[in-house]
Amino acid sequence: MGAPSHDRTPEGVPDAAPGPVPDPVELASPAAPLPVEEEGPPTAGPLAHLVAALVVVALGVATVVASWGLGAGSAQEPDAGTWPLVLGVLVTVLGVLLVVGARRTHDAEAFTRHSTGVLLGVGTMVAFALLVGRIGFEIPGVLLCLVWMRVLGREGWRTSVVASLAVVAAFYAIFVGALSVPVPHLF
């Protein structure tokens, strides 16, 4: 037996089932389930999880080694490397936990051509860090914000330029002007 004739369009495609119209306020509440996208990126396999976890461990260990060179200090007298050392240890521990759970992880996305945005984001951060010590934070900061907003965020040119200049100006006013933080700067 087929569906009743009122449930099909003239082309034979099933029509939407009649029912109550959802309340927009109810849909916007935190308890309402969000619509789930049917199509998504493919999930990563155990090898990709393991490689990503090992990268996290390597970054944590590199941070520990570099911060140790700055001087670890003590709890009573912290030195320049104290907080980076603490963060490096935490990142290393989290990376080891990721390695242990790599085979049981199923919610990570596989690397696709859309993953190039992540590489671009990391690359611009590295370029920013390399340039800040040489020419100050203003020009690299504006360029970093501009690339992130225009290329990664796909914002319009006007929004990207205005927001980039505003972010750097606010950063300058707060950290250089008001707090006198020793940040490398041009002006």
Side-chain angles (χ1 to χ4, degrees), residues 23 36 48 82 90 97 115 117 129 131 138 152 170 172 187:
D23 183 14
V36 178
T82 302
L90 287 175
L97 292 175
S115 304
L131 290 174
E138 292 91 348
L152 299 178
Y172 189 93
F187 309 106

Side-chain angles (χ1 to χ4, degrees), residues 139-150:
I139 295 172
V142 168
L143 292 176
L144 178 70
C145 289
L146 191 62
V147 168
W148 280 34
M149 293 194 68
R150 178 67 185 133

Side-chain angles (χ1 to χ4, degrees), residues 4 14 16 29 38 60-61 64 68 72 82 105 108 113 118 139 142 151 171 181:
S29 71
E38 295 295 326
V61 170
V64 167
W68 193 265
T82 302
T105 303
R113 64 182 177 89
V118 175
I139 295 172
V142 168
V151 178
F171 189 90
V181 174

Side-chain angles (χ1 to χ4, degrees), residues 9-159:
T9 61
E11 295 81 26
V13 177
D15 200 5
V21 176
D23 183 14
V25 173
E26 191 174 292
L27 287 175
S29 71
L34 298 174
V36 178
E37 293 182 16
E38 295 295 326
E39 298 284 329
T43 57
L47 179 62
H49 294 158
L50 182 62
V51 170
L54 290 174
V55 168
V56 172
V57 171
L59 287 174
V61 170
T63 303
V64 167
V65 170
S67 61
W68 193 265
L70 293 174
S74 65
Q76 290 78 25
E77 293 184 30
D79 208 344
T82 302
W83 293 114
L85 178 66
V86 170
L87 291 176
V89 169
L90 287 175
V91 169
T92 303
V93 170
L94 291 175
V96 169
L97 292 175
L98 288 173
V99 168
V100 171
R103 294 187 64 105
R104 293 186 302 267
T105 303
H106 302 288
D107 59 348
E109 298 176 2
F111 288 103
T112 63
R113 64 182 177 89
H114 298 293
S115 304
T116 56
V118 175
L119 295 177
L120 179 62
V122 171
T124 54
M125 285 295 294
V126 170
F128 174 81
L130 292 175
L131 290 174
V132 154
R134 298 178 189 271
I135 61 174
F137 78 92
E138 292 91 348
I139 295 172
V142 168
L143 292 176
L144 178 70
C145 289
L146 191 62
V147 168
W148 280 34
M149 293 194 68
R150 178 67 185 133
V151 178
L152 299 178
R154 296 193 172 108
E155 295 291 337
W157 276 108
R158 184 182 322 163
T159 302

